[in-house]
Amino acid sequence: MNSELQETYMEKWENDTAYIERFENLDKFQQAKEIILQKAHELKDVYNLGEVEAFKELVKTTVKSLDFLQPSDKAKLTANILDSASSSPVMLRAGIDNILDIAKTMDDNAYRKKLASEINKELEGTKNIKKGSRTVGKYDYKTNKLFC
């Protein structure tokens, strides 16, 4: 009996470890999708909540899993999140894919804006460098044109 218990414990530990490693290797969008689908499965099978309570919990989980987005971007996704939190698994998967595509676009736009502001800050904050008797900019002409 002890050996059987030890074997099942080892198998469970290996499976849990493999799941954690796989989850950590996913990007943030796939992690959000996994979290939402897992919560939907738990709400349906484990908790046996009413339809309204399950809907509320699924919406809360979806919003929490998108914490990496800007608050204004999450607010823009509210209508899509409310539409996608369906009880049908097929509709839920399609809705989540749609939400994550929009979230990825919003995240990319926020990243571009951040990079543009950092480049502008760098260009405005640079001082001219004196080379011999001439004063020149920190970057050459081609680099400045690339930034602008």
Side-chain angles (χ1 to χ4, degrees):
M1 182 68 181
N2 261 349
S3 63
E4 291 177 16
L5 182 63
Q6 186 177 8
E7 287 177 16
T8 56
Y9 178 75
M10 288 298 292
E11 287 177 14
K12 179 162 177 35
W13 185 80
E14 288 172 0
N15 289 340
D16 290 347
T17 306
Y19 175 77
I20 291 169
E21 287 176 2
R22 185 182 69 82
F23 185 77
E24 288 175 348
N25 290 333
L26 295 175
D27 67 342
K28 58 187 173 185
F29 298 101
Q30 291 299 321
Q31 285 180 354
K33 183 176 181 178
E34 288 282 325
I35 291 169
I36 295 166
L37 292 176
Q38 183 179 8
K39 185 67 171 187
H41 177 72
E42 286 176 5
L43 290 173
K44 184 178 180 186
D45 295 339
V46 178
Y47 295 123
N48 293 325
L49 294 175
E51 193 171 320
V52 174
E53 288 83 14
F55 179 80
K56 286 180 187 178
E57 288 298 318
L58 192 56
V59 168
K60 287 179 188 177
T61 303
T62 305
V63 171
K64 280 184 182 178
S65 66
L66 296 174
D67 273 345
F68 53 84
L69 288 178
Q70 302 285 330
S72 60
D73 291 341
K74 281 199 308 190
K76 292 176 188 174
L77 281 175
T78 303
N80 293 17
I81 291 171
L82 292 174
D83 290 342
S84 72
S86 172
S87 58
S88 166
V90 175
M91 293 294 289
L92 179 65
R93 283 186 186 271
I96 290 171
D97 288 339
N98 184 25
I99 288 171
L100 292 178
D101 287 342
I102 295 169
K104 191 174 281 192
T105 303
M106 289 179 173
D107 191 47
D108 289 344
N109 287 340
Y111 183 67
R112 282 190 205 118
K113 287 178 185 177
K114 179 182 170 191
L115 286 179
S117 68
E118 287 178 6
I119 289 172
N120 285 336
K121 184 177 177 182
E122 174 68 23
L123 289 176
E124 290 172 359
T126 58
K127 296 182 179 178
N128 293 334
I129 301 171
K130 191 161 189 164
K131 286 189 178 178
S133 62
R134 292 179 45 203
T135 303
V136 294
K138 182 175 180 181
Y139 301 107
D140 63 346
Y141 178 74
K142 287 182 181 180
T143 308
N144 278 337
K145 284 304 246 183
L146 176 70
F147 287 148
C148 297

